[in-house]
Amino acid sequence: GIRGTLVIGGTTKDRLPVGILKEGMAEYAVYPRALSVTERMRVESALALRHGVTLTHSYFNSKGTVIRNYSRLKSYNHRVAGIINDSTSRLRQTSSASSEGEAVVQLSTKTMAEGASVLWGDNAKQLSFAADKGNGKWMQRRWAATTTGQPAEQLTLTFDTRSIHQLQPLDKDEHYYLTVDNSGTGK
């Protein structure tokens, strides 16, 4: 209720946790006190997931549990997005895609258990195909996903092919496949 100037990050020398903020601010949260590092990371995670923004640290749920480990998935920390049901943070995100350019993956579900989440990001490679030692042509860009809580059922994955300039009509007996590597090894 008091007029004044809102300064963002004015008392810290830390950089904002996003790589690129092209469209300005869609939402912000104001607290009557300085948040601890852990509290700030939880708030940043909720806002990033709500708006499809990639953070430069791990993602946390409202309880402070890591739901996407930045260090372990550093090479897949591009165009991160996620679906989550976290009532404490009032975050029920049942459909999501990254807001960053060339984000071709969207995931949605109708129902998701409390505390469950699915987050994904890509390796920042080109959206093009390359030969793979006689095993056909594979997309250079790969995605890694992490899940927490009870697995979501009836997930719908939408892959927007408009960004893939190499995509051509298939010849007879040719097919495009989506492969899922549950081992996480990439093999």
Side-chain angles (χ1 to χ4, degrees), residues 13-27:
K13 292 184 174 143
D14 295 339
R15 293 177 54 218
L16 290 175
V18 295
I20 299 172
L21 191 58
K22 289 182 180 178
E23 303 298 322
M25 269 195 278
E27 178 179 6

Side-chain angles (χ1 to χ4, degrees), residues 116-131:
S117 65
V118 180
L119 280 71
W120 65 92
D122 69 58
N123 63 357
K125 302 273 175 124
Q126 295 293 319
L127 279 171
S128 59
F129 296 96

Side-chain angles (χ1 to χ4, degrees), residues 14-72:
D14 295 339
R15 293 177 54 218
L16 290 175
V18 295
I20 299 172
L21 191 58
K22 289 182 180 178
E23 303 298 322
M25 269 195 278
E27 178 179 6
Y28 57 89
V30 178
Y31 293 86
R33 62 178 175 78
L35 300 179
S36 69
V37 172
T38 304
E39 289 171 325
R40 191 181 81 220
M41 291 169 84
R42 290 178 359 208
V43 171
E44 290 169 355
S45 295
L47 292 172
L49 288 173
R50 187 173 290 128
H51 298 286
V53 176
T54 301
L55 297 175
T56 56
H57 61 68
S58 294
Y59 287 73
F60 296 84
N61 64 15
S62 63
K63 294 176 177 55
T65 304
V66 174
I67 56 175
R68 181 175 173 82
N69 186 308
Y70 175 80
S71 298
R72 192 171 56 83

Side-chain angles (χ1 to χ4, degrees), residues 11 19 25 36 44-45 71 77-78 89 104 112 116 120 127 130 132 139 145 171-172 177 184:
T11 61
M25 269 195 278
S36 69
E44 290 169 355
S45 295
S71 298
N77 202 53
H78 307 277
S89 63
V104 296
M112 188 169 228
W120 65 92
L127 279 171
D132 185 21
M139 172 113 9
D171 290 333
K172 184 180 179 204
Y177 293 98

Side-chain angles (χ1 to χ4, degrees), residues 14 16 23 76 84 98 114 120 130 139 145 173 176 183 187:
D14 295 339
L16 290 175
E23 303 298 322
Y76 290 93
I84 184 170
S98 173
E114 170 63 30
W120 65 92
M139 172 113 9
D173 297 327
Y176 289 113
S183 73
K187 297 179 181 178

Side-chain angles (χ1 to χ4, degrees), residues 102-117:
E102 291 190 342
V104 296
V105 173
Q106 178 178 356
L107 196 61
S108 60
T109 185
K110 290 182 181 174
T111 60
M112 188 169 228
E114 170 63 30
S117 65

